Amino acid sequence: MSYYQVKNFEEYFKHYNKSIREPRKFWDKIADENFTWYQQWDKVLEFDMQEADFKWFSGAKVNIVKNCIDRHLAKRGNKTAIIFEPNNPDEEAQHITYTQLYERVSKMANVLREQGIKKGDRVCIYLPMIPELAVVVLACARIGAIHSVVFAGFSASAVAARIIDCGCKMVITSDGGYRGNKTIDLKGIVDEALKTCPTVEKVLVAKRTNADIKMQEGRDQWLQPLLDEAVANNVAEIMDAEDPLFILYTSGSTGKPKGMLHTTAGYMVYTAYTFKNIFAYEENDVYWCTADIGWITGHSYILYGPLLNGATTVIFEGIPSYPDFGRFWEVIDKHKVTQFYTAPTAIRSLAKEDWKWVDKHDLTSLKVIGSVGEPINEEAWHWYNDHVGKKKSPIVDTWWQTETGGIMISPLPFVTPTKPTYATLPLPGIQPVLMDELRNEIEGNQVVGSLCIKFPWPGMARTIWGDHQRFKETYFSAYPGKYFTGDGALRDEVGYYRITGRVDDVVIVSGHNLGTAPIEDAINEHPSVAESAIVGFPHDVKGNALYGFIILKEAGAWRNQDNLVKEINEHISSHIGPIAKLDKIQFVSGLPKTRSGKIMRRILRKIAEGDFSNFGDTSTLLNPEIVEEIKNGKV
Ligand code: PRX
């Protein structure tokens, strides 16, 4: 492995400038020096921004899992690839070596093939954070099946919508999952979801909780007996560079979730390169990312990025508060973790507790600590820096998205001086720009604008599954010739970026990216509801929480409002998942609308934030009087 690792700040600028002058040469070298290819590429990059058409390394042939596992076997066969830390600290941790991972993935790959899964088939994975989740993901990629991991906190109808959208042939789940002192009936949720999913032929079930579940004859099979029969080696599928690797759903500001499609070679090159540089990874490090594999962070920085580098990666099944608020720190101490990567919401929730929970554990193994998923506020940044990093392990505040595949803007540890709340500078190879309302690029520093990226990078999503038009419209039409991130940002006097938050109707709650439109759709299905509008408002722990303004139908107006609040939240829970529940609900008689019928969310946002100071011009509203009513009724 010979990625260029930048050694100091001066070198960063030299390296960065070179990467911008000759991007193809830059990526060509990285791809050439760090992976095993069956066949090299003809062209590094071909693209058309207008059409949102991108091809990286075309002509190349490769298998990402061979790069994650097989090529390490000679040197690292006995090295631990995965440390599994169970939910219950009394259950023994598992250390899975690269050789054992090879055998487990090979068996799983053989099972999938025997069960009729072929290259290009979609497989839905709905599993808790257990080693089988990693094994199944890698087995799919090994045989060229497209994995669609659905976070095991989503409800049956959210699972069904994702299965139907990409036509999955198979679902892999478990008899249940542990989360703190709760168990979750994952198989029951899958059974419910599958009532509306005709494309699913088979369900494979891993054992975890030994819950008493129903198995449907002819459709469902226990995974373990199939694995017991399978042989422990497997010939990997030879994939084209642009063959699909996985689909991962993310919320949009309108309509149904977007199945972001990532392809093989570019994603491989990008996750490996970013992992190595951003976490300053060295051979004997133990790296831990606390995300769930059901999100992009888990895909790129629990599985692919670390394994491509032959690293040891921790998979943690539990939650930060179980059995007590010291769990994260206990695990760092127990496994001598060197890089720790978590979300601001977790930091904020732990910072509320007594710091004796941190200080009673030995964290001296840590070298680099990271943050991802939402802006990290100054207070949380300092707490993290003081108590966890002990002011010696740099914080990498990493900005990126499901769509970008990997980290885009982040300090490089020991190279980029950090600054609280700033993601700082783009990685070599990445070209961010800020745009004004007239779609002009804003030059210079100390400026604010919409964050776009003006040149392709290998990790970018290639399309939205089944809807390329939506891909083009969402990301490549607001600022022609550029990728629009949906985020606003400022650039300070030295050129550091600070992400200020979404500029569209997506709200980030506890690091989860929630579109307001699908939540409104779910609420509007409630028989008592006529119309609704959701906005985000600042929340101490979650970053943002959701505030719903709801107009009731006449019949609904007679109902007990406390019961309605409960019902509406249960409805959201069962249609989307508990993460999308509203913190506050206010029943209103109308919503502020423009003459064209568009809800003025800006006003609702201000009311939800409790800021009644300046609503701006309300004269263009169809019903300006409603603002006063909503203001007075704020909950
Ligand atoms: O608004 C940005 C925020 O999370 C969004 C992407 O969410 P998702 O696709 O779910 O991916 C999350 C994990 C990469 C972004 O558009 N975001 C992510 N990281 C940061 C951030 N906002 C501020 N600072 C960050 N470090």
Side-chain angles (χ1 to χ4, degrees):
M1 206 73 48
S2 60
Y3 303 102
Y4 182 78
Q5 264 183 322
V6 178
K7 288 176 202 67
N8 56 50
F9 209 28
E10 208 176 295
E11 232 180 73
Y12 161 80
F13 284 107
K14 255 210 256 156
H15 194 54
Y16 182 79
N17 291 334
K18 219 166 89 189
S19 79
I20 299 311
R21 269 196 314 273
E22 296 177 302
R24 287 178 174 81
K25 205 162 152 191
F26 175 80
W27 294 113
D28 184 80
K29 188 164 166 9
I30 291 176
D32 188 39
E33 289 177 351
N34 298 290
F35 304 92
T36 308
W37 304 85
Y38 297 111
Q39 188 178 302
Q40 289 269 323
W41 45 97
D42 306 318
K43 289 211 172 101
V44 175
L45 167 67
E46 297 157 275
F47 72 101
D48 177 342
M49 282 275 197
Q50 299 305 335
E51 291 306 312
D53 187 11
F54 306 94
K55 289 192 183 67
W56 281 92
F57 308 112
S58 57
K61 302 223 178 272
V62 69
N63 184 288
I64 190 171
V65 179
K66 282 197 77 109
N67 278 278
C68 284
I69 305 176
D70 304 31
R71 68 173 165 145
H72 302 312
L73 292 177
K75 235 179 80 189
R76 304 188 178 100
N78 293 324
K79 178 177 175 176
T80 301
I82 292 174
I83 298 176
F84 171 60
E85 173 66 24
N87 177 63
N88 180 347
D90 296 334
E91 186 180 331
E92 210 178 317
Q94 291 176 31
H95 289 73
I96 302 168
T97 65
Y98 272 91
T99 302
Q100 289 166 335
L101 185 62
Y102 171 80
E103 290 170 0
R104 289 179 69 167
V105 170
S106 293
K107 285 185 173 204
M108 185 71 77
N110 291 329
V111 166
L112 292 177
R113 279 194 180 136
E114 274 160 33
Q115 296 296 318
I117 299 297
K118 295 185 300 296
K119 178 177 171 183
D121 287 342
R122 275 80 60 208
V123 174
C124 172
I125 303 172
Y126 188 67
L127 279 166
M129 284 284 284
I130 55 177
E132 283 79 356
L133 173 51
V135 169
V136 169
V137 164
L138 296 167
C140 284
R142 191 171 183 91
I143 65 166
I146 305 171
H147 56 77
S148 166
V149 183
V150 177
F151 172 59
F154 275 117
S155 69
S157 57
V159 176
R162 286 157 177 75
I163 290 174
I164 293 166
D165 184 70
C166 67
C168 293
K169 223 168 136 176
M170 175 182 272
V171 178
I172 304 180
T173 187
S174 70
D175 55 356
Y178 294 117
R179 234 185 113 67
N181 51 20
K182 289 195 206 130
T183 52
I184 304 164
D185 175 20
L186 298 178
K187 176 65 167 57
I189 294 172
V190 168
D191 289 340
E192 180 63 29
L194 292 191
K195 287 182 185 160
T196 57
C197 301
T199 55
V200 174
E201 294 163 11
K202 290 187 174 163
V203 178
L204 304 185
V205 187
K207 229 183 191 102
R208 177 59 181 143
T209 59
N210 290 313
D212 187 16
I213 55 160
K214 286 198 200 77
M215 296 290 277
Q216 184 175 310
E217 184 79 35
R219 187 193 72 182
D220 304 349
Q221 295 174 83
W222 288 104
L223 190 52
Q224 196 55 50
L226 299 175
L227 289 169
D228 292 342
E229 295 288 302
V231 286
N233 58 58
N234 166 279
V235 179
E237 193 77 30
I238 298 175
M239 304 291 283
D240 286 340
E242 283 296 341
D243 275 339
L245 176 63
F246 66 84
I247 299 166
L248 187 62
Y249 286 88
T250 186
S251 314
S253 48
T254 51
K256 59 177 190 171
K258 300 173 290 195
M260 304 312 310
L261 182 78
H262 283 279
T263 59
T264 304
Y267 178 82
M268 173 181 84
V269 169
Y270 198 65
T271 51
Y273 154 76
T274 48
F275 174 79
K276 170 89 174 171
N277 275 282
I278 288 158
F279 297 104
Y281 171 76
E282 287 167 277
E283 184 63 41
N284 293 316
D285 289 346
V286 175
Y287 163 89
W288 180 22
C289 165
T290 70
D292 193 289
I293 293 173
W295 307 113
I296 191 69
T297 310
H299 280 55
S300 301
Y301 299 113
I302 295 178
L303 294 182
Y304 289 113
L307 296 176
L308 284 163
N309 281 279
T312 300
T313 179
V314 176
I315 294 184
F316 175 49
E317 185 184 24
I319 54 173
S321 55
Y322 179 83
D324 60 45
F325 293 107
R327 187 68 193 276
F328 272 1
W329 325 121
E330 184 212 323
V331 173
I332 291 174
D333 189 1
K334 176 174 172 188
H335 297 297
K336 299 291 167 242
V337 169
T338 44
Q339 287 93 349
F340 177 68
Y341 191 29
T342 195
T345 184
I347 299 168
R348 284 190 298 265
S349 73
L350 294 169
K352 280 175 94 113
E353 305 302 326
D354 196 327
W355 47 267
K356 78 164 197 271
W357 290 116
V358 192
D359 285 1
K360 76 185 219 193
H361 299 284
D362 177 9
L363 304 187
T364 50
S365 56
L366 286 176
K367 293 198 301 198
V368 176
I369 57 177
S371 166
V372 59
E374 58 181 309
I376 177 164
N377 50 307
E378 186 127 10
E379 210 184 332
W381 194 96
H382 282 296
W383 185 89
Y384 198 32
N385 191 41
D386 295 353
H387 294 292
V388 182
K390 316 283 187 203
K391 296 191 173 140
K392 74 169 181 47
S393 307
I395 297 179
V396 287
D397 176 357
T398 61
W399 175 83
W400 59 295
Q401 310 178 297
T402 305
E403 294 85 338
T404 68
I407 297 165
M408 305 283 280
I409 303 181
S410 167
L412 295 178
F414 314 109
V415 170
T416 318
T418 57
K419 177 173 178 182
T421 76
Y422 282 74
T424 74
L425 294 170
L427 257 80
I430 300 303
Q431 305 190 34
V433 284
L434 296 181
M435 305 297 289
D436 68 16
E437 282 163 8
L438 299 171
R439 300 174 165 186
N440 296 317
E441 190 174 328
I442 310 171
E443 308 273 349
N445 289 338
Q446 284 190 296
V447 291
V448 182
S450 289
L451 180 64
C452 290
I453 313 289
K454 72 171 176 192
F455 195 82
W457 64 100
M460 67 197 306
R462 300 296 194 267
T463 192
I464 293 174
W465 182 265
D467 198 348
H468 194 67
Q469 189 58 28
R470 187 173 179 199
F471 185 64
K472 258 166 52 178
E473 279 164 14
T474 311
Y475 303 106
F476 297 93
S477 68
Y479 300 94
K482 300 190 173 58
Y483 166 81
F484 173 47
T485 65
D487 282 329
L490 68 81
R491 195 161 53 216
D492 77 357
E493 60 289 352
V494 297
Y496 273 17
Y497 286 89
R498 177 189 192 184
I499 313 302
T500 48
R502 303 291 306 187
V503 293
D504 56 12
D505 292 331
V506 170
V507 184
I508 314 262
V509 178
S510 299
H512 302 309
N513 190 331
L514 301 174
T516 51
I519 307 174
E520 288 164 6
D521 291 347
I523 297 172
N524 297 348
E525 280 176 24
H526 186 285
S528 299
V529 172
E531 197 181 350
S532 60
I534 308 290
V535 295
F537 70 99
H539 185 280
D540 279 357
V541 173
K542 300 182 192 176
N544 294 294
L546 298 174
Y547 192 123
F549 296 89
I550 296 179
I551 307 176
L552 293 175
K553 286 182 184 156
E554 220 171 293
W558 298 100
R559 300 274 322 274
N560 173 306
Q561 295 206 341
D562 291 341
N563 288 346
L564 266 177
V565 166
K566 260 195 229 132
E567 278 175 32
I568 288 170
N569 266 329
E570 277 162 17
H571 200 72
I572 295 174
S573 229
S574 71
H575 277 66
I576 296 169
I579 49 177
K581 282 201 216 167
L582 308 183
D583 264 47
K584 293 187 178 176
I585 293 182
Q586 178 180 350
F587 296 106
V588 294
S589 69
L591 292 166
K593 289 197 177 160
T594 62
R595 284 173 205 283
S596 61
K598 225 171 152 248
I599 298 171
M600 268 249 218
R601 287 169 194 275
R602 182 173 55 76
I603 293 177
L604 295 177
R605 259 183 230 122
K606 291 199 79 162
I607 295 177
E609 284 166 15
D611 172 6
F612 300 157
S613 58
N614 181 10
F615 289 122
D617 184 9
T618 53
S619 64
T620 53
L621 286 178
L622 204 58
N623 50 350
E625 69 292 344
I626 200 72
V627 176
E628 199 58 24
E629 180 207 303
I630 300 180
K631 203 173 91 181
N632 293 334
K634 182 184 179 304
V635 290

